[in-house]
């Protein structure tokens, strides 16, 4: 568990020129990825600890590159943010995810909450609330089934504009979740000021459990605090049964991670929903 949360994607270090060249090529490719239908979503189940049922999913984007194969979002999302491409890509993600949630509902007669990641750039886009409204309207998804995941950094950026946007989103009726909780600026202040439904404890705290006593203390404290604020707590990156047992003891509400299910195709999720419904 020593290299918990480490990102090894950049280990293949090449010369600077090579890196710049491949960066430019990737950007050119990313510009065309949307229109060429090279992006797709996988969905990772979020499981209720007490009922053990699937109650939600998180949409996670993938890029099927024509030459390089499947590229991880850890590689192309930062590039999409730098170039502003995250705005159209993010809109596509939102629409696709809402549409998927609605079609599972039709297919399985079960409602599942859809969590969608929003990057800071998208959050700052003045059209965000319109984009969210039209994705909901066009798909017919109930706003209470959509949860937007924001990081602490996004909320801390610019207090005034942040409040306006959050107020608009609240008006629409969607839920907000703080992603990677505990790794950002963590000024607890915004938890009081903003209407946030859930906290996602970052994977880096979960991955050393149950042995790592410091991470156990932090995890337990986050859960207690969140419950004190009437928030739902999600633990992400749950990889073992022992971690699940400990999180259950700590009173964690929802769990997400390879132990419960890898990010999966719509069919696999539909199967889980059908099983859970019986
Ligand atoms: P994230 O939002 O923190 O998403 C969780 C990441 O942890 C996902 O990586 C997921 O596949 C991975 N994961 C889930 N369970 C486990 C586990 O048990 N162990 C480990 N080691 N990892 C687990 P993924 O799909 O590669 O996404 C990486 C990041 O890319 C996401 O981190 C998110 O920040 C970003 N991302 C993905 N999709 C989108 C998107 O549609 N829009 C935006 N803006 N960002 C996205
Ligand atoms: Ca997330
Ligand atoms: Ca996360
Ligand atoms: Ca993360």
């Amino acid at each position: 568990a020593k290299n918990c949360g480490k990102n090894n994607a950049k280990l293949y270090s090449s010369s600077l020129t090579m890196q710049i060249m491949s960066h430019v090529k990737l950007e050119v490719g990313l510009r065309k990825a949307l229109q060429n239908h090279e992006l797709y979503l996988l969905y990772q189940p979020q499981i209720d600890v007490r009922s053990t049922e699937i109650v939600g999913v998180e949409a996670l984007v993938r890029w099927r590159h024509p030459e390089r194969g499947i590229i991880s979002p850890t590689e192309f999302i930062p590039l999409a943010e730098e170039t502003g491409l995250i705005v159209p890509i993010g809109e596509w993600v939102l629409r696709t995810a809402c549409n998927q949630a609605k079609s599972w509902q039709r297919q399985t007669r079960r409602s599942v909450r859809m969590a969608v990641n929003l990057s800071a750039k998208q959050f700052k886009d003045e059209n965000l609330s319109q984009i969210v409204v039209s994705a909901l309207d066009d798909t017919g998804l109930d706003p209470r089934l959509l949860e937007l995941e924001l990081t602490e950094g996004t909320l801390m950026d610019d207090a005034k504009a942040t409040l306006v946007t959050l107020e608009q989103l609240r008006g629409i009726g969607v839920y907000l979740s703080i992603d990677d909780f505990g790794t950002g600026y963590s000024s607890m202040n915004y938890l009081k000021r903003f209407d946030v439904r859930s906290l996602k404890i970052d994977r880096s705290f979960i991955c050393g459990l149950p042995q790592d006593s410091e991470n156990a203390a932090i995890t337990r404290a986050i859960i207690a605090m969140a419950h004190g604020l009437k928030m739902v707590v999600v633990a992400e990156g749950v990889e073992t049964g022992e971690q699940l047992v400990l999180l259950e003891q700590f009173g964690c509400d929802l769990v997400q991670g390879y132990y419960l299910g890898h990010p999966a195709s719509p069919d696999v999720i539909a199967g889980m929903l059908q099983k859970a419904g019986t």
Side-chain angles (χ1 to χ4, degrees):
K2 264 278 144 62
N3 52 15
C4 284
K6 270 239 184 82
N7 180 1
N8 293 322
K10 291 253 158 74
L11 273 184
Y12 59 87
S13 172
S14 50
S15 80
L16 190 58
T17 333
M18 289 271 289
Q19 282 182 25
I20 292 169
M21 274 174 58
S22 67
H23 191 87
V24 170
K25 263 180 100 174
L26 207 62
E27 180 180 333
V28 171
L30 191 56
R31 284 189 187 282
K32 291 189 247 155
L34 253 187
Q35 66 199 65
N36 292 348
H37 307 287
E38 290 164 11
L39 299 181
Y40 65 100
L41 299 182
L42 294 180
Y43 303 89
Q44 187 173 35
Q46 296 186 332
I47 308 292
D48 184 304
V49 174
R50 277 162 289 264
S51 73
T52 73
E53 295 224 327
I54 176 173
V55 292
V57 296
E58 177 179 3
L60 294 159
V61 68
R62 300 287 181 267
W63 179 11
R64 193 181 288 108
H65 189 281
E67 287 138 39
R68 289 193 36 198
I70 289 157
I71 302 182
S72 149
T74 53
E75 196 173 340
F76 71 86
I77 290 291
L79 182 64
E81 281 167 349
E82 271 170 52
T83 55
L85 285 168
I86 191 65
V87 172
I89 290 174
E91 180 171 359
W92 176 85
V93 168
L94 197 62
R95 287 183 162 273
T96 307
C98 289
N99 197 39
Q100 185 58 66
K102 191 67 200 179
S103 75
W104 281 325
Q105 214 173 21
R106 289 205 187 91
Q107 195 185 341
T108 68
R109 301 267 139 228
R110 294 196 71 236
S111 298
V112 62
R113 177 167 286 121
M114 176 61 72
V116 174
N117 291 287
L118 272 201
S119 78
K121 265 252 173 67
Q122 287 173 274
F123 190 76
K124 283 206 202 89
D125 178 14
E126 53 180 21
N127 296 318
L128 176 65
S129 63
Q130 278 164 267
I131 290 172
V132 172
V133 166
S134 86
L136 291 167
D137 280 354
D138 294 350
T139 58
L141 187 69
D142 183 338
R144 289 165 299 181
L145 289 177
L146 179 61
E147 181 161 68
L148 302 175
E149 296 195 357
L150 307 167
T151 60
E152 293 160 286
T154 302
L155 289 179
M156 297 308 297
D157 246 16
D158 173 359
K160 263 254 171 61
T162 300
L163 267 176
V164 171
T165 307
L166 289 175
E167 213 31 65
Q168 289 172 334
L169 293 174
R170 199 221 304 258
I172 297 168
V174 298
Y175 289 107
L176 298 179
S177 171
I178 309 292
D179 203 356
D180 304 339
F181 186 76
T183 62
Y185 302 81
S186 290
S187 150
M188 303 292 166
N189 221 343
Y190 70 84
L191 293 180
K192 285 192 311 191
R193 285 188 292 136
F194 304 149
D195 191 10
V196 173
R197 175 183 169 267
S198 62
L199 289 187
K200 294 187 82 170
I201 305 175
D202 191 67
R203 170 152 61 87
S204 59
F205 298 117
I206 305 301
C207 89
L209 303 183
Q211 289 81 14
D212 187 323
S213 59
E214 288 169 345
N215 281 338
I218 290 170
T219 299
R220 203 208 308 242
I222 294 176
I223 293 169
M225 180 194 67
H227 285 165
L229 295 168
K230 307 231 164 7
M231 294 168 119
V232 171
V233 195
V234 187
E236 64 177 3
V238 178
E239 293 185 354
T240 70
E242 284 179 302
Q243 290 171 347
L244 180 58
V245 168
L246 190 70
L247 288 163
E248 187 177 9
Q249 282 170 11
F250 286 175
C252 187
D253 303 295
L254 305 181
V255 282
Q256 185 183 339
Y258 296 160
Y259 184 71
L260 294 315
H262 284 255
S265 69
D267 287 0
V268 171
I269 302 295
M272 291 182 77
L273 289 171
Q274 247 134 18
K275 261 215 320 253
T278 56

